[in-house]
Amino acid sequence: MSSHNTPDSAESPFRHERTARDEAPQFVLPLVVRMERAAPPARTDALETAARAVLAMLSDERSLGDGEWAQAMSDWQDARIRKVVRRARGAEWRRAEALPGITVTGKSAEVRVFPPVPLDGWPKDLVKLQVSGTDLDDPEEPAAPDLSQPVLWMNPTLDMSAGKAMAQAGHGAQLAWWELSDEERVAWREAGFPLSVRTAPESRWAELTGSGLPVVRDAGFTEIAPGSCTVVADHAALRG
């Protein structure tokens, strides 16, 4: 199993109470979603693609061992786990693609994830990009999730922008990743990180948050109250 703190640890990177993680230099994982005017992505596909992008970054050989991104990844994971989603189109997207990172493509969404940067040290071609305006819709109701694969259940009582929800889905995927064994991680990666993101039925939310599965508790930096439970990461390997 992963040696990282579990989501219920007193030093969980997602809790809002001040911990030793707050004393470390703070980093952020940048994600950029492609938002062309004529063809914006579907909301659920954007959330799922963002979650897979985070997993791609966590598992990339450049993030591990002596890889070129390993130190930045270590520094980021030793502090609060922050992710910020910005949007880009046209020339903005092309400039973002030219920077070191990984682009993950869904059915309609493209998300590029970059190695962590200091909170005040964003590359100039990313810092100019807008955070607001990532409001997306699903053209049709998402199908029921495949429960044999990981499902990231979103809190049905919270109203989050698509950008905020994408970051939260990434948090949920990261908690699931930390809790898996090396063998389970390899199997998930080799399968292409299949997963679903769905809003939980209100009738099941209390059951999910009390199930012992990894829960993201937001630090409250943006949009929602500190300590809000945003995502439950449901992976077959993590069920009791």
Side-chain angles (χ1 to χ4, degrees):
M1 299 292 284
S2 168
S3 61
H4 286 284
N5 294 309
T6 67
D8 291 322
S9 162
E11 296 235 345
S12 169
F14 299 104
R15 281 193 179 279
H16 64 288
E17 298 91 346
R18 190 167 184 83
T19 72
R21 286 180 176 274
D22 295 286
E23 308 307 321
Q26 299 296 302
F27 289 77
V28 62
L29 187 79
L31 297 106
V32 175
V33 57
R34 186 175 186 179
M35 296 260 300
E36 301 294 345
R37 275 200 188 94
R43 180 183 173 100
T44 295
D45 188 44
L47 268 59
E48 293 174 347
T49 304
R52 288 199 304 275
V54 170
L55 293 165
M57 176 59 71
L58 288 167
S59 63
D60 193 278
E61 62 183 12
R62 290 166 289 185
S63 298
L64 306 171
D66 295 324
E68 61 190 285
W69 300 339
Q71 187 60 56
M73 291 292 288
S74 177
D75 291 343
W76 171 61
Q77 292 181 88
D78 284 344
R80 289 286 183 180
I81 303 298
R82 301 191 193 200
K83 301 178 182 73
V84 172
V85 178
R86 297 177 184 252
R87 59 185 172 89
R89 64 172 178 261
E92 296 172 331
W93 175 256
R94 290 191 292 275
R95 285 193 293 270
E97 275 203 308
L99 298 174
I102 303 167
T103 296
V104 176
T105 303
K107 296 183 181 72
S108 62
E110 286 183 79
V111 176
R112 189 161 179 83
V113 60
F114 305 86
V117 297
L119 277 179
D120 57 356
W122 284 66
K124 62 179 177 61
D125 284 330
L126 298 185
V127 76
K128 300 179 199 173
L129 301 177
Q130 295 294 311
V131 177
S132 60
T134 52
D135 292 324
L136 299 170
D137 296 309
D138 282 314
E140 55 191 41
E141 189 73 20
D146 181 349
L147 298 181
S148 70
Q149 297 178 346
V151 182
L152 304 175
W153 294 107
M154 307 294 289
N155 187 330
T157 70
L158 294 177
D159 184 18
M160 293 184 281
S161 68
K164 177 71 172 179
M166 289 168 69
Q168 297 302 306
H171 291 339
Q174 186 165 3
L175 282 186
W177 179 257
W178 281 351
E179 291 295 298
L180 296 176
S181 68
D182 290 342
E183 292 78 10
E184 289 160 346
R185 290 178 178 181
V186 168
W188 198 11
R189 182 183 184 189
E190 288 183 348
F193 294 124
L195 57 83
S196 300
V197 178
R198 295 291 186 273
T199 299
E202 286 199 37
S203 59
R204 284 201 63 211
W205 184 243
E207 172 196 339
L208 284 165
T209 57
S211 64
L213 291 167
V215 178
V216 177
R217 293 176 175 83
D218 192 62
F221 295 121
T222 59
E223 293 193 26
I224 57 178
S228 300
C229 296
T230 58
V231 183
V232 174
D234 184 3
H235 190 297
L238 306 180
R239 295 179 196 139

